Amino acid sequence: MLLYNVELASPLMLGTAQYPSPAIVAAAVQASGAEVVTVSLRREASGNLAGQAFWSIIRDLGTRVLPNTAGCRTVKEAVTTAHMAREVFGTPWIKLEVIGEEDTLQPDVFGLVEAARVLTEEGFQVFPYTTEDLVVAERLLAAGCRVLMPWGAPIGSGRGLNNVFGLKMLRAHFPDVPLVVDAGIGLPSHAAAAMELGVDAVLLNTAVAKAGDPVGMAKAFALAVEAGLLAQRAIPMEPREMARPSTPVFGRALLA
Amino acid sequence: MRIIVNGEEREIEERLLSRALCELDFGDAVVATAVNERFVPASQRSAIALNDGDRIEVLAPMQGG
């Protein structure tokens, strides 16, 4: 998989939030095989400088970081956050989130396209958190995005792929654009299903962080995305409405 | 001078943003700064004079999804 000219072997990207401890974040990332982890920027308290300790742990992992603009609701907020993230993390990559609705955390696709255009012109390599809408996808590509990150389901919901048809349409319309299903994945089977329908990668966080055993779940996801990718490459059979015997009928003994 | 740092009112002596960050105990921490909702790159902090009532955001790497 090639994302902005960076070759990645693993189709799994992992978020770093909500884990029981920093040590478990590190162990989960290692177990997942992820080569990209998402991070954010938040207010630093001068008393304990918690962000510095976190950043030290992430740097030691040796993975690439994909900073996000989580929580931003306007183009201005998202663009300013991206500038700050580029300076702190030293990467032009930005996971662009412009949130439009509180209950579903659905992207404000109008603001998203505008912010993507501004940031691309400023040299950012934008990973837009979007819906499966084809027209929005067209606009994001026209704005300069070279990766699309459609949601599977609302962030943190663990519902899996809410619109399989929509994701298939996106894949069919943009066969050469890297697609990363971002958000809503709850189980390894969801991630495998996404890979089977031909997306290039999945990005998830809560499903691993909030599992009873995050490290075990990270390993399960690693195997699931690999299985899904192998299955997709192996060209799955076409489903049928009716049964068809798999054992040959020819040569069956007459014993009745 | 009274300024707002990460949403909290603080009293500081230093006027330059770069010096104010030291006074506020951020020292050499890896942070990004904004003054009155505008990003101030690290390279420009020593050229930014703060004014009474300014709103400063000091952001650091955090967990994210």
Side-chain angles (χ1 to χ4, degrees):
Chain A
M1 172 178 53
L2 209 55
L3 299 179
Y4 288 106
N5 292 323
V6 172
E7 180 72 39
L8 297 169
S10 171
L12 185 57
M13 301 183 188
L14 201 59
T16 55
Q18 307 182 84
Y19 290 80
S21 74
I24 293 179
V25 178
V29 170
Q30 278 161 355
S32 75
E35 294 163 284
V36 176
V37 298
T38 53
V39 290
S40 72
L41 280 179
R42 287 291 181 263
R43 286 172 165 175
E44 181 77 311
S46 59
N48 63 4
L49 300 176
Q52 309 305 305
F54 169 73
W55 185 219
S56 168
I57 290 165
I58 296 301
R59 271 184 302 199
D60 287 348
L61 291 173
T63 60
R64 286 181 179 275
V65 293
L66 175 58
N68 68 28
T69 63
C72 291
R73 283 170 171 72
T74 66
V75 173
K76 179 178 179 296
E77 257 187 306
V79 168
T80 303
T81 302
H83 282 137
M84 297 174 87
R86 180 163 63 177
E87 181 178 87
V88 163
F89 296 109
T91 173
W93 283 13
I94 191 76
K95 177 185 161 180
L96 183 60
E97 295 183 32
V98 183
I99 298 300
E101 206 280 321
E102 202 59 47
D103 290 328
T104 57
L105 297 178
Q106 178 158 343
D108 167 0
V109 293
F110 306 98
L112 181 69
V113 170
E114 174 62 13
R117 186 188 59 74
V118 170
L119 291 171
T120 301
E121 284 174 1
E122 293 178 354
F124 284 88
Q125 295 174 335
V126 177
F127 294 65
Y129 166 62
T130 184
T131 66
E132 62 277 38
D133 189 297
L134 293 178
V135 182
V136 172
E138 280 286 7
R139 299 287 167 88
L140 288 167
L141 296 174
C145 297
R146 294 294 169 263
V147 176
L148 296 170
M149 301 218 297
W151 64 350
I155 295 170
S157 69
R159 295 176 57 84
L161 307 180
N162 264 355
N163 185 356
V164 169
F165 173 79
L167 291 171
K168 283 182 177 171
M169 288 299 101
L170 205 56
R171 177 71 294 168
H173 270 71
F174 306 106
D176 301 321
V177 177
L179 296 181
V180 181
V181 168
D182 175 17
I185 300 285
L187 288 167
S189 54
H190 300 153
M195 297 302 297
E196 285 166 9
L197 67 80
V199 306
D200 298 276
V202 296
L203 197 171
L204 55 99
N205 187 157
T206 312
V208 168
K210 289 297 187 188
D213 172 8
V215 180
M217 190 60 84
K219 181 68 180 170
F221 270 104
L223 295 171
V225 292
E226 188 183 353
L229 179 62
L230 289 173
Q232 196 273 331
R233 285 179 181 161
I235 309 172
M237 65 167 279
E238 288 297 324
R240 294 167 47 91
E241 292 297 324
M242 302 296 286
R244 180 166 57 187
S246 49
T247 302
V249 175
F250 178 76
R252 186 168 65 89
L254 280 175
L255 303 172
Chain B
M1 177 171 55
R2 293 189 84 78
I3 59 171
I4 310 291
V5 181
N6 288 345
E8 289 182 8
E9 204 169 272
R10 300 286 295 265
E11 183 76 38
I12 60 166
E13 300 291 326
E14 299 283 359
R15 279 194 75 81
L16 290 179
L17 176 59
S18 52
R19 290 173 180 269
L21 287 173
C22 290
E23 187 182 343
L24 291 163
D25 291 331
F26 288 106
D28 296 329
V30 178
V31 292
T33 51
V35 176
N36 298 332
E37 295 82 43
R38 295 177 72 93
F39 170 52
V40 178
S43 58
Q44 291 175 22
R45 285 177 198 156
S46 56
I48 296 289
L50 298 174
N51 295 300
D52 207 47
D54 276 352
R55 298 173 302 282
I56 321 295
E57 292 287 337
V58 184
L59 307 186
M62 277 313 152
Q63 296 85 343

